[in-house]
Amino acid sequence: MMPQRPRRNRKNAVIREMVQENHVSTSDLIYPLFLIEGKNKKNEVSSMPGIFRLSTDLLLKEIESSLQLGIRSFCLFPSLTDASKDQYATKGLNPKGLYPSAIRTIKKRFPEAVIMTDVAMDPYSSDGHDGLVKEGEILNDETLEILAEMALIQADAGADIIGPSDMMDGRVGFIRSALDDNNFTNVSIMSYTAKYASAFYGPFRDALDSAPKFGDKKTYQMNPANSREALIEAELDLNEGADFLMVKPALSYLDVIHLLNTNFTLPIAAYNVSGEYAMVKAAAAKGWIDGEKVRDEILMSIKRAGASVILTYFAKEFAKSRKHEL
Ligand code: PBG
């Protein structure tokens, strides 16, 4: 006697789909995009095949074709030349700079697109750090002022969601009150809540040429050995006014995604980062794995772990593969 035969619920595609517990859809995804200065400029990130740094005009085209595929949310990162960077991330604080101008142009052309921004100093910093550096130290409270100013400029340009990726203490509350004091109460914050000091960010730092000029990011990003600490970060972010809690990277941190999802009621986001994308692309190019199947399995695992939102460089190719469902 074997009253329970789990294989009965796997016996054909209809029943398998009927009992399927999780689903990934294009509307779960946020597509990260890299922005560069100039016109008609497009260059591929060598460690991220299929991902390009784009000038604003071409970025509009990329957004347009993504919208047609059902991708409605985008996260924008500026890639600056070394010559434009300085200690104070000055270029990030220019209301007429590359980044806010691009946000304005995008929102004007595609008001329906949700634009998430990046708040941190590293794209503009000659030190390659997310905070202000003084004598080799990353200053916390002095950085908050800069981050809030950046957030206000981005909100004013039309950003829908502000994404503080810097990991300074207190930044969510500081940015929230700056936004509220300036009538941006409707602008959301997706906090990089549990952002780990990870080697999986390598290709992204290639894309922005933003690797730290000295040391590492371990005094502000979390130790990969810790999960309980993520609960402290999440509680702070919740109390400081975050609308989403993000875990980053995603794959080596599925347990952390699960932990936050069980302990908090805010929506959980996960960042399927550059190195995770690069590994799949590299192995697929060698014919060692089936890249598309692995991609879908990865995105599903992130959903299953408890993330309802996924930032992923796979967004466009995933959406293409699902186009028939639109
Ligand atoms: C920095 C930032 C990083 C990423 C997003 N924002 C890298 C870092 O912390 O050095 C990584 C994203 C990715 O790897 O895809 N503020």
Side-chain angles (χ1 to χ4, degrees), residues 76-140:
L76 212 57
F77 293 97
S79 171
L80 275 68
T81 57
D82 259 349
S84 331
K85 300 182 185 181
D86 66 21
Q87 195 188 343
Y88 300 99
T90 308
K91 290 270 172 171
L93 303 175
N94 176 3
K96 296 202 166 83
L98 169 70
Y99 195 62
S101 306
I103 297 167
R104 262 196 189 90
T105 310
I106 296 166
K107 286 301 288 188
K108 195 162 165 213
R109 178 83 179 277
F110 305 112
E112 74 277 25
V114 163
I115 303 299
M116 170 171 165
T117 57
D118 180 57
V119 170
M121 289 176 67
D122 57 312
Y124 320 94
S125 152
S126 47
D127 294 303
H129 277 287
D130 295 28
L132 190 61
V133 178
K134 199 171 173 194
E135 288 156 19
E137 261 196 55
I138 319 300
L139 305 181
N140 194 88

Side-chain angles (χ1 to χ4, degrees), residues 228-239:
R228 286 160 48 83
E229 195 180 344
L231 294 170
I232 300 177
E233 290 285 1
E235 199 173 323
L236 287 169
D237 287 354
L238 169 71
N239 293 331

